[in-house]
Amino acid sequence: MFSIQQEIDNQKAQESPKLKPIKPLEHPVQAAQHTPVYKMHRYYARRPWNVFENIIKHYTEPGDIILDPFCGGGVTVVEALKLRRKVVGVDLNPLATFITEMEITQLDINKFIKAFEEVKKSSADKIKPLYKTKCLKCKKDTFAEWFEWSNVFECPICHQEVILANAKKPKAGVYICTNKKCKQAFKPSETIKIKEVPINLLVDCNCGYKGLQKLTDRDFDLLNEIDKNFSKIVKKEKLWYPTDEFPDGDLEKDHGLFKKGIKYFSDLFTKRNLLANSFLLKAIQLNTSDEITKKFIYMCFSNSLRFTNRMVAGNPNWRGGNPEWGGHAYWQPNVFNEVNVYSAFSKLAMGIVRGKEFSNQTIGDFFSISDSFNEIQENKTVNLYNRSSHKLPLPENSIDAVITDPPFGGNVQYAELSDFWVIWLKDILKKDGIIDNKYEAIQTRHSGFESAKDEKHYEEMLYKIFKECHRVLKPNGYMVLTFHNKDISVWMSLHRAANRAGFKLPSEDFSENRGIIYQPPIQNYTQTFHTKASGSMLGDFILSFQRIDTIDDAHKISSMLSQEQEKKLVDKIESLLVYHGGADENTLMTVLVPFLMNEIHVFTDVANFNFESFLKKYFSLDSKQKKWFTKEQFTEYYDPKTKRLRPIDFVKAEEFSYNVIVSLLKQRHFVTVDELLSEVYTKLVNSHRPGIEAVNKVLDKYCEMYEDKKSKKKGYRLKTDFKPKEKIDKPYTIDQLGLFGEDSNTSNLSHNEIIQLVAHFALELGYKVHVGKTEQNKEKDFRIISSSMQFKEDFGIANANAFKKIKEIDLLILEGYEVPAVFEVTTSIDTAREAINDRFRDLFTILPNTKINAFVIVKDVDYNKAKEMLNSAANKKDKLNSRIRIIKVSELTKQFINEILKS
Ligand SMILES: C[S@@+](CC[C@H](N)C(=O)[O-])C[C@H]1O[C@@H](n2cnc3c(N)ncnc32)[C@H](O)[C@@H]1O
Ligand SMILES: [Zn+2]
Ligand SMILES: [Zn+2]
């Protein structure tokens, strides 16, 4: 056994020391399935463990203290301890802190198994008879595993009773009347519920038979007896079950529960299962094992509740497996399963055993809990607080890193959903009612009730909590969040809150991705890109905020964007939309948030900035694709017949995806969708990150679906007749190129041959040249003739990004440190458009005062079209047409180049 400090030192020896300052995380991981410790009890929105392992390892050293102010299902806490970091976990929800505590507490597994068997033994005689039935195969007594129940409604047309389980269901919420003379479709929600009846039961008999059978009179008698004597039994056996009322809130409103007669949590159980659960709980209470062991039995019981309530939908597909409640809404399925409480509970002990074997091994006695922070600074390792994080019992400058996963707007109503469990666990949680969610940092979807919360509340709570994080965090500490939302206003709320609390995203010089990276989801979540509708998000973003000194709140707040800010933002968005061929909100936000935050200080300086209305003012939304386009794109590609946008013919982001995907598939021959996702999103920085559609297009065109025989994994490979997009031949020497002047000779020149030609003329004329980085990588000869351009200062360029862009241009002519001319060589109208409207436009946007002469070389046949493009209204407006010149390939003689360079 090691001391805490020894364990920390051992871990240090295994990790390489961190270079300071720590740069933001650049690489996501391939998210892994939950380990057994997280399978002991369900919690909402648990994030993949290795995503947090990756973050913790990157930002902290062994022995550092981490804070998670929204610790939820405990992933940060567990992974921190596994990696020998100390950790403070806080959550408003007592279920969350209970689960987290159980995940890290050391357990004597033998004691647990013994206590578990005792509980089973002492309750079996009471519970099992409630499910007694007869196996119709061997005719012996046995127990039902579950009963399948159905609602019975009155047909609004013929007024006969319809057992919904027996009725055809053409689509969700619609049933066909079972009366052969009627057969009308109707919606149960529009007629009267008469009763509920059990339809089938499942036996899993000792004789080997497992299957469904109809209920016999004896089964009905038992049921009636339970119903009739329910109160008597409760009284006689001194049973307890929660009698809490259902709160008036979002989840009631979602399904209109009050109207359906659901007023108490106990209404979510059948009488039989209410009795069974009460018997079980009583047996647990009376058990005499130690406190820790008992807590685990409670957890096992709590976890079993998800199987034994009436919200477990009956579904033919479930008939082989373990039916359970999905857990994200309170509702009343028309066909439901009443699962045997004793069986459900019995099955779950193994989950606890596996979970604890895992944590005993990986955390072991590094678990050392305390409720005082002072002790953590000394020889304890973990604090858990069940409270709201807007006030933390921690001193200033005491935390090395905040690592957390905050609620995402109104995605999940954590407290309301957890009430279901919490009310059964009052003993152990020392609570006496449902969760007080006044300070919960969420939005509700409905309003008109006391606990309703709007977007303002959400943002304000996040702000207060982030401000607390700022206070307790050490000066150079990071606050790292995972984040997932489709909704631009939630993005804005989160970032505004962080920024106001004194956090910013890193500068571009410090981190190319500006501290935002995309983290693909758990494997097998996705089968194909196509199944994912556009605009839907897979996975999460990881946001790494740096702590800055708080800007004082009275800071020059203006009521709206200045003209200059507005113009900058429009330009930025415009170039983004052109690059991506339209962009969904996530794509927009990954690039724009750092810009809004650090460049034009929208969050701290501008009181009224509504991003959605700003977008609406300058851009067009295609609501079908959920993507924004420039007004020009919209007019050019809008098809009035289909009322949809036609695909945009050249999208730069597709080219990036192409390069990444094809080179991956050349190396690997076959990749799964997850691997592909991870590659595309790891290789490309945010501003180049394509949307799913761009990736789809590349897959459609160059790849095919494939199932690997050995691993049975599905994924993609290159089409068997795959041809690279652009063939790069070895360029000829100038002599081999022959004579120019006539269309017939020049029209066959490849892209690289043209570059080579112009480069040679320039070299002969005594200039130096630089060939674009991409071409240099492909062609050794280009590396030989290129001069190096190492320092931007030599060329009088301050902006690193501008310098990088310049070096990507096909051909630069150099005279000392002057750049008299630059050439983009194009061989199709699409690439010509890209050169004009993308590369050169970008260049002149970032270097508005440059004197560089820009030339676009086009095939003769493309000349007129290219000229037209150059003279578009937008280009005229920005004076691009006077800064760029179009040249035909047939014009390229040495004489001509000489003239150009002299002028
Ligand atoms: C997205 S969940 C965290 C899930 C966790 N990362 C995991 O992987 O299991 C967000 C948590 O924030 C908690 N929460 C909401 N408002 C809070 C507040 N004011 N103070 C502390 N915790 C809060 C919720 O109870 C919920 O457990
Ligand atoms: Zn049998
Ligand atoms: Zn009918």
Side-chain angles (χ1 to χ4, degrees), residues 411-430:
N411 276 11
V412 184
Q413 307 291 314
Y414 300 94
E416 273 194 33
L417 285 166
S418 303
D419 284 336
F420 173 80
W421 280 278
V422 165
I423 51 163
W424 284 95
L425 296 175
K426 284 177 183 155
D427 279 0
I428 207 85
L429 301 177
K430 308 196 168 58

Side-chain angles (χ1 to χ4, degrees), residues 43-47 52 68-76 90-93 96 387-390 405-408 414 439-442 461 465:
Y43 192 68
Y44 297 97
R46 254 206 200 96
R47 310 248 81 78
F52 279 77
D68 184 347
F70 303 103
C71 75
V75 176
T76 310
V90 190
D91 205 292
L92 172 104
N93 185 333
R387 59 191 289 161
S388 168
S389 292
H390 69 286
D405 171 36
F408 313 141
Y414 300 94
Y439 294 117
E440 198 176 13
I442 54 160
M461 280 317 302
I465 293 166

Side-chain angles (χ1 to χ4, degrees), residues 461-680:
M461 280 317 302
L462 285 184
Y463 166 66
K464 285 184 181 151
I465 293 166
F466 291 161
K467 200 147 172 139
E468 252 325 65
C469 292
H470 189 278
R471 181 182 69 80
V472 301
L473 196 58
K474 290 183 183 168
N476 293 320
Y478 275 93
M479 177 171 82
V480 187
L481 314 177
T482 52
F483 181 69
H484 169 136
N485 205 289
K486 291 181 291 207
D487 190 343
I488 222 163
S489 61
V490 178
W491 266 94
M492 295 294 281
S493 293
L494 180 107
H495 285 274
R496 195 159 32 221
N499 206 193
R500 282 168 55 212
F503 290 98
K504 70 167 180 76
L505 290 166
S507 70
E508 192 166 14
D509 291 342
F510 196 57
S511 150
E512 230 181 339
N513 277 318
R514 315 279 322 245
I516 304 184
I517 59 166
Y518 176 70
Q519 169 61 60
I522 294 191
Q523 287 181 29
N524 306 329
Y525 187 79
T526 45
Q527 280 288 348
T528 71
F529 275 92
H530 292 269
T531 52
K532 278 285 140 196
S534 63
S536 65
M537 263 312 296
L538 315 157
D540 291 316
F541 291 97
I542 299 174
L543 310 168
S544 301
F545 287 98
Q546 289 174 313
R547 182 188 188 279
I548 46 172
D549 290 334
T550 323
I551 339 106
D552 66 276
D553 281 343
H555 186 77
K556 42 164 182 143
I557 290 208
S558 54
S559 65
M560 40 193 247
L561 283 185
S562 72
Q563 264 189 351
E564 197 194 324
Q565 284 174 316
E566 193 149 336
K567 184 170 180 321
K568 272 191 180 166
L569 187 55
V570 170
D571 284 352
K572 181 92 185 173
I573 298 176
E574 178 118 18
S575 67
L576 212 100
L577 295 179
V578 170
Y579 173 85
H580 286 284
D584 62 35
E585 299 194 342
N586 274 304
T587 307
L588 271 178
M589 294 322 270
T590 48
V591 183
L592 291 179
V593 159
F595 183 79
L596 295 170
M597 189 179 274
N598 301 0
E599 250 95 334
I600 57 177
H601 308 287
V602 166
F603 298 140
T604 43
D605 294 7
V606 185
N608 298 312
F609 178 63
N610 181 328
F611 199 56
E612 268 161 312
S613 35
F614 179 85
L615 283 173
K616 275 191 198 130
K617 185 166 160 198
Y618 291 102
F619 302 95
S620 306
L621 176 71
D622 179 15
S623 44
K624 288 225 178 72
Q625 295 186 60
K626 296 206 182 78
K627 276 169 75 175
W628 291 91
F629 293 88
T630 66
K631 294 237 152 97
E632 285 88 36
Q633 284 174 325
F634 213 85
T635 12
E636 194 174 340
Y637 292 98
Y638 186 75
D639 182 348
K641 263 197 225 128
T642 58
K643 298 209 171 87
R644 309 197 66 159
L645 286 199
R646 281 179 282 113
I648 296 184
D649 33 79
F650 180 81
V651 176
K652 184 77 184 171
E654 282 163 28
E655 192 170 311
F656 276 76
S657 323
Y658 171 90
N659 288 338
V660 173
I661 293 170
V662 169
S663 74
L664 178 70
L665 282 172
K666 276 184 176 165
Q667 289 162 29
R668 298 276 306 274
H669 146 77
F670 157 76
V671 291
T672 66
V673 174
D674 295 301
E675 289 165 336
L676 203 81
L677 255 174
S678 155
E679 182 81 1
V680 171

